[in-house]
């Protein structure tokens, strides 16, 4: 049996080590407070928007550490694989999935740019959130404030943790 194991064993994918961190991103994005207190629509689009917001904050943190550019690429690939699987699970066909993945990557890139440009500027972040999460229809001010506060807290918490610690983590950050 050892011979067969060696012959057919798949080499370890280095991305696999980041799966727990990606799962923590998704868990953070699915936290009820975004949808209840933040008024984010609990729809496919709303859930995508929250995953995109949370992973954007993590990817922006990784940008601060050029030595970890490879891990940022791998996290993005895991995100794409997850979105591909999610679309197939709900019944999208091969022809549609490819086009949708292109749109998803464009959307993630746009959000990364908007959240990068906003930085810690609350006004700019709120404008980016209205554009990206609520598609231009400003929510209740308290809901917008909640999402902006949570995004800024996440950004600050990520900045306080060494990148190597983040990458080895099974939770995104505690307390944010």
């Amino acid at each position: 049996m050892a011979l067969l194991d060696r012959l057919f064993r798949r080499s370890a994918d280095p991305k696999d080590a980041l799966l727990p961190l990606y799962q923590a991103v998704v868990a953070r994005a699915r936290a009820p407070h975004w949808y209840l207190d933040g008024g984010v629509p609990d729809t496919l689009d709303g859930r995508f928007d929250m995953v995109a917001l949370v992973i954007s904050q993590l990817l922006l943190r990784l940008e601060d550490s050029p030595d970890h550019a490879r891990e940022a690429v791998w996290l993005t690939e895991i995100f794409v694989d997850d979105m591909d699987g999610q679309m197939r699970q709900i019944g999208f066909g091969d022809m549609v999935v490819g086009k949708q993945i292109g749109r998803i990557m464009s959307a993630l890139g746009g959000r990364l740019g908007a959240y990068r440009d906003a930085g810690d500027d609350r006004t700019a972040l709120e404008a980016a959130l209205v554009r990206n999460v609520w598609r231009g229809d400003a929510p209740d001010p308290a809901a917008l404030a909640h999402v902006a506060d949570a995004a800024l807290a996440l950004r600050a918490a990520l900045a306080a943790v060494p990148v190597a610690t983040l990458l080895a983590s099974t939770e995104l950050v505690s307390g944010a």
Side-chain angles (χ1 to χ4, degrees):
M1 196 56 134
L3 174 64
L4 290 177
D5 284 342
R6 281 194 309 255
L7 286 174
F8 295 107
R9 186 177 326 172
R10 165 185 111 141
S11 62
D13 187 340
K15 291 188 300 189
D16 290 349
L18 296 174
L19 283 172
L21 180 58
Y22 179 75
Q23 291 164 346
V25 165
V26 172
R28 175 64 61 96
R30 290 297 296 140
H33 74 89
W34 299 113
Y35 309 94
L36 299 174
D37 302 327
V40 173
D42 193 4
T43 61
L44 288 174
D45 285 343
R47 285 177 260 162
F48 168 80
D49 293 331
M50 288 300 90
V51 172
L53 173 63
V54 174
I55 200 164
S56 290
Q57 298 304 310
L58 178 58
L59 293 173
L60 292 172
R61 174 64 179 101
L62 293 178
E63 278 185 1
D64 293 340
S65 180
D67 294 342
H68 296 287
R70 176 181 46 181
E71 286 86 351
V73 169
W74 289 341
L75 279 166
T76 304
E77 289 175 359
I78 292 169
F79 168 78
V80 169
D81 291 345
D82 182 35
M83 294 299 110
D84 181 284
Q86 296 296 326
M87 285 187 286
R88 291 177 191 283
Q89 188 174 17
I90 60 175
F92 287 23
D94 287 341
M95 298 294 283
V96 174
V97 169
K99 290 177 186 174
Q100 290 298 327
I101 290 296
R103 288 186 183 122
I104 284 171
M105 289 307 299
S106 177
L108 179 62
R111 284 160 174 78
L112 266 168
Y115 300 141
R116 179 186 301 112
D117 292 346
D120 292 329
D121 179 339
R122 184 183 186 84
T123 302
L125 176 62
E126 286 181 350
L129 290 169
V130 169
R131 254 188 340 271
N132 292 302
V133 175
W134 291 282
R135 309 296 193 261
D137 288 329
D140 175 74
L144 178 57
H146 177 82
V147 174
D149 288 343
L152 289 168
L154 176 59
R155 185 179 184 101
L158 289 168
V161 178
V163 171
T165 302
L166 278 173
L167 293 173
S169 214
T170 59
E171 67 178 71
L172 200 47
V173 287
S174 58

